[in-house]
Amino acid sequence: MTFPLILFLLLLARGTTGQDSEESLALPTGCGWGLGRPYTLLCDLDSIWGVAVESVAAGGTLVAILLALVLLCRLRHVSEGEKRSGVGPILLLLLGVVGLFGLSFAYLIEQDEALCLLRRALWGLLFALCFSCLLVQGVRLRRMGRERRSPGGCALSGLALGLSAVQGIIATEWLLLTVLREGRAACQYLPMDFSLACSYVLALLLAALTAAALALCGKTRQWRCSAVWLLVTCLLSLLLWVAWVGFYLYGNAWLGKSPEWNDPALAIALVAQGWLLLIFHAIPESHICLKPPPQPTAPDYFDTSQNSTRMRETSFDEDIPLSHRQFVENQGYGYNDENTAGLRSGSSAGQHNSNAGARPSAPFRSNVYQPTEMTMILNGGAVSTSSQSQVPSAPPTYTGRQLW
């Protein structure tokens, strides 16, 4: 009873070994045991484009994840509200970039129904998420350029998610109409239908390009560097989309490679767009957000754009050297009672003659004489301390021209 069972297991193992040996013989160059169909493009050295796309996508995913971790770890050191508001859209953009790199692996695997549904559903959604982040960044830079204040980071992130959700609804409706209602296979669709389903994504890209151009017209120059990087990113993305859509619709048919080169064209477009967003927007914007604020300097009193309250609170004496300050308080210039009485009587007579009201005397001014700079110049720089000449004056023949 046990012998037939052992014989059956041996035959089954032999059959499995023979099948594995046949599969190993049928594997392309570069693919070893355990990595067969439908994953042959990940290791096939004959069609090198699959290995190249896989390597570039893996490197981009690693860079995006590391950049997101750096932003999250350094977020508490960002104290300026204008910079903190841009961290949320950057993190959403990095999430979309990781999705683009991950979706490129789906074009390196042989097609089936589930995989085609995933491709058609996520293609437009991930691009819409990235371009909506660019759009809200343009709106943020435009508002900071005009009003010198930025919307909140949560509001910008919510706006980006809401704009990208519209593309999700469009992709869902397209799949429901073509797959469920008409009964078509998920992998059977025309390239023109696929391109038209991404019309909203292209509209988001054009809106982001317009917002970036308007952000350059702001009053403040502090954020023009970010606006320039955003404008360059949108322009290069637009050129990339024109290139891959034109090649996908007309280039493959003109070259006679329409079914074979569709997946390579879409995979290369995904990887190129991901690296473009990383190099020209995510990395520069993260550097600007994490850059420490400049050290406070002396206020420019001729700059009318500064706050008036700050100008009033600033003391002008701080910029004057100590050698030029005249804080002279010498008791040798104090008046005696007779001179004080004479000055008061003279001032009272002048007031009665001019029909003016009585002016209260200031005790500091009546007791201590503080010479002015002109008095010091006319006196030749000498200070008189004798009781005979209480008020310093110039000689009758002195004109002061020797000093000039």
Side-chain angles (χ1 to χ4, degrees):
M1 187 66 185
T2 57
F3 180 77
L5 182 60
I6 295 174
L7 182 62
F8 175 75
L9 293 176
L10 290 174
L11 291 175
L12 182 61
R14 182 180 179 182
T16 305
T17 305
Q19 185 178 1
D20 292 341
S21 62
E22 292 178 359
E23 289 183 357
S24 62
L25 292 175
L27 290 177
T29 306
C31 296
W33 182 85
L35 193 63
R37 301 184 61 182
Y39 307 103
T40 54
L41 283 177
L42 297 174
C43 56
D44 189 3
L45 297 180
D46 296 331
S47 56
I48 195 62
W49 71 269
V51 179
V53 168
E54 174 190 2
S55 303
V56 176
T61 303
L62 182 60
V63 171
I65 293 175
L66 290 178
L67 186 59
L69 292 177
V70 170
L71 277 175
L72 290 175
C73 294
R74 299 281 298 175
L75 183 59
R76 59 175 183 170
H77 299 286
V78 182
S79 58
E80 300 178 67
E82 292 83 1
K83 294 182 178 180
R84 292 180 66 93
S85 62
V87 176
I90 295 176
L91 291 176
L92 275 181
L93 178 67
L94 292 175
L95 179 62
V97 168
V98 172
L100 292 178
F101 288 135
L103 185 61
S104 64
F105 286 91
Y107 288 90
L108 303 178
I109 304 173
E110 294 183 5
Q111 295 180 357
D112 57 5
E113 289 294 320
L115 194 60
C116 289
L117 287 174
L118 184 66
R119 291 178 182 180
R120 295 171 62 177
L122 293 182
W123 176 275
L125 181 61
L126 292 174
F127 274 107
L129 179 61
C130 295
F131 293 156
S132 61
C133 291
L134 297 181
L135 177 57
V136 299
Q137 287 282 13
V139 173
R140 165 178 165 265
L141 294 175
R142 174 62 175 168
R143 188 167 181 181
M144 286 193 302
R146 294 186 61 183
E147 304 178 6
R148 293 185 177 88
R149 61 189 183 92
S150 171
C154 296
L156 293 175
S157 302
L159 179 60
L161 290 175
L163 292 174
S164 58
V166 178
Q167 178 60 32
I169 296 174
I170 294 174
T172 303
E173 290 290 335
W174 181 40
L175 289 174
L176 291 177
L177 290 175
T178 56
V179 177
L180 293 182
R181 179 174 295 184
E182 298 180 3
R184 298 180 186 176
C187 297
Q188 295 179 358
Y189 56 88
L190 296 176
M192 182 61 69
D193 296 339
F194 184 79
S195 301
L196 290 177
C198 301
S199 301
Y200 177 74
V201 178
L202 188 60
L204 285 177
L205 179 57
L206 294 176
L209 179 63
T210 305
L214 292 176
L216 288 175
C217 303
K219 299 179 182 179
T220 58
R221 299 181 180 180
Q222 181 181 2
W223 306 103
R224 285 192 177 180
C225 181
S226 300
V228 169
W229 281 111
L230 181 61
L231 182 62
V232 171
T233 304
C234 295
L235 285 175
L236 293 178
S237 299
L238 183 60
L239 293 177
L240 178 63
W241 266 68
V242 171
W244 81 258
V245 170
F247 186 80
Y248 183 67
L249 293 178
Y250 307 107
N252 286 339
W254 182 69
L255 294 174
K257 302 289 185 178
S258 180
E260 293 84 7
W261 285 10
N262 287 342
D263 289 349
L266 296 179
I268 293 173
L270 286 169
V271 174
Q273 183 66 69
W275 271 106
L276 191 150
L277 293 174
L278 272 179
I279 295 174
F280 292 98
H281 183 72
I283 295 177
E285 192 67 25
S286 301
H287 173 70
I288 293 174
C289 290
L290 298 178
K291 186 178 180 180
Q295 298 296 330
T297 58
D300 187 5
Y301 301 110
F302 299 97
D303 188 6
T304 57
S305 63
Q306 294 183 2
N307 193 1
S308 59
T309 58
R310 180 182 175 184
M311 297 285 291
R312 287 195 298 267
E313 292 175 358
T314 306
S315 175
F316 289 91
D317 292 338
E318 296 178 357
D319 299 334
I320 303 175
L322 293 175
S323 60
H324 294 275
R325 298 182 186 178
Q326 298 294 335
F327 296 106
V328 181
E329 185 175 355
N330 196 336
Q331 295 296 331
Y333 295 100
Y335 292 113
N336 53 12
D337 295 337
E338 297 177 357
N339 292 333
T340 303
L343 290 174
R344 288 183 179 178
S345 62
S347 61
S348 300
Q351 290 177 0
H352 286 296
N353 294 333
S354 61
N355 295 327
R359 179 181 178 184
S361 61
F364 178 78
R365 291 182 178 180
S366 62
N367 294 332
V368 178
Y369 171 71
Q370 294 181 346
T372 61
E373 293 180 356
M374 184 58 68
T375 305
M376 299 291 293
I377 292 174
L378 293 176
N379 202 25
V383 179
S384 177
T385 57
S386 62
S387 60
Q388 300 295 331
S389 58
Q390 296 293 337
V391 179
S393 60
T397 61
Y398 182 72
T399 60
R401 295 182 180 178
Q402 290 85 348
L403 298 176
W404 306 99

